[in-house]
Amino acid sequence: YSLRIPEGMDAMVYNYHPADIFIGNEKAKISESQMAVLKHQGEPVAFEAAEDAEGGKKEARVLILAGTPIKEEVARYGPFVMNTDEEINQALVDMRSGSFGSIPGSSERMRKTDEANNKRRQAGKQ
């Protein structure tokens, strides 16, 4: 398989399948749960699944993310990604004070999910 990533975009690939995959002309090996940054100049990037014991191709499952670089500083902490440590600290203050708000209808959806899970347990299902 080959995928053209537009010039000017950064890209990465994550292998979420037990079979190894090989990327690019150099056939760099990416094993399960590994990620690789793709270096390209707008040309197609080749992906190949490893062969199985009988010489046949295995299935490959990958996640490919690509986008235009934002060229900004990045600060991160837990689930928060901001530009500065000060913004991270403010996000933590907001979270702890409850000022993040809530998602409309989330309580009702959670109640229905809990009811459905209880019914499944009562029926002997996991």
Side-chain angles (χ1 to χ4, degrees):
Y1 180 78
S2 180
L3 177 68
R4 185 184 169 282
I5 298 164
E7 191 167 351
M9 286 192 172
D10 286 346
M12 57 139 296
V13 61
Y14 176 77
N15 181 7
Y16 65 96
H17 191 51
D20 293 336
I21 59 169
F22 301 95
I23 300 174
N25 294 332
E26 65 280 355
K27 300 206 182 286
K29 182 174 93 169
I30 309 298
S31 298
E32 182 180 21
S33 299
Q34 287 186 328
M35 179 187 80
V37 175
L38 302 177
K39 300 291 184 187
H40 65 95
Q41 282 78 41
E43 74 278 357
V45 178
F47 296 85
E48 184 180 326
E51 293 183 357
D52 62 19
E54 291 81 39
K57 295 285 184 191
K58 285 188 178 178
E59 156 180 336
R61 294 184 185 182
V62 298
L63 173 66
I64 301 169
L65 301 173
T68 306
I70 60 173
K71 296 184 172 133
E72 295 178 8
E73 294 293 319
V74 176
R76 63 193 187 288
Y77 180 83
F80 300 106
V81 179
M82 304 288 189
N83 294 108
T84 66
D85 289 338
E86 291 79 20
E87 290 174 330
I88 293 288
N89 290 332
Q90 184 61 53
L92 291 167
V93 167
D94 292 345
M95 180 191 69
R96 291 175 182 140
S97 70
S99 64
F100 267 7
S102 63
I103 299 171
S106 62
S107 296
E108 178 64 15
R109 283 192 300 276
M110 186 60 97
R111 185 186 62 72
K112 288 180 179 181
T113 299
D114 289 343
E115 287 175 2
N117 287 336
N118 287 334
K119 286 179 184 177
R120 288 178 58 82
R121 277 191 285 280
Q122 290 170 359
K125 299 178 181 176
Q126 294 292 342

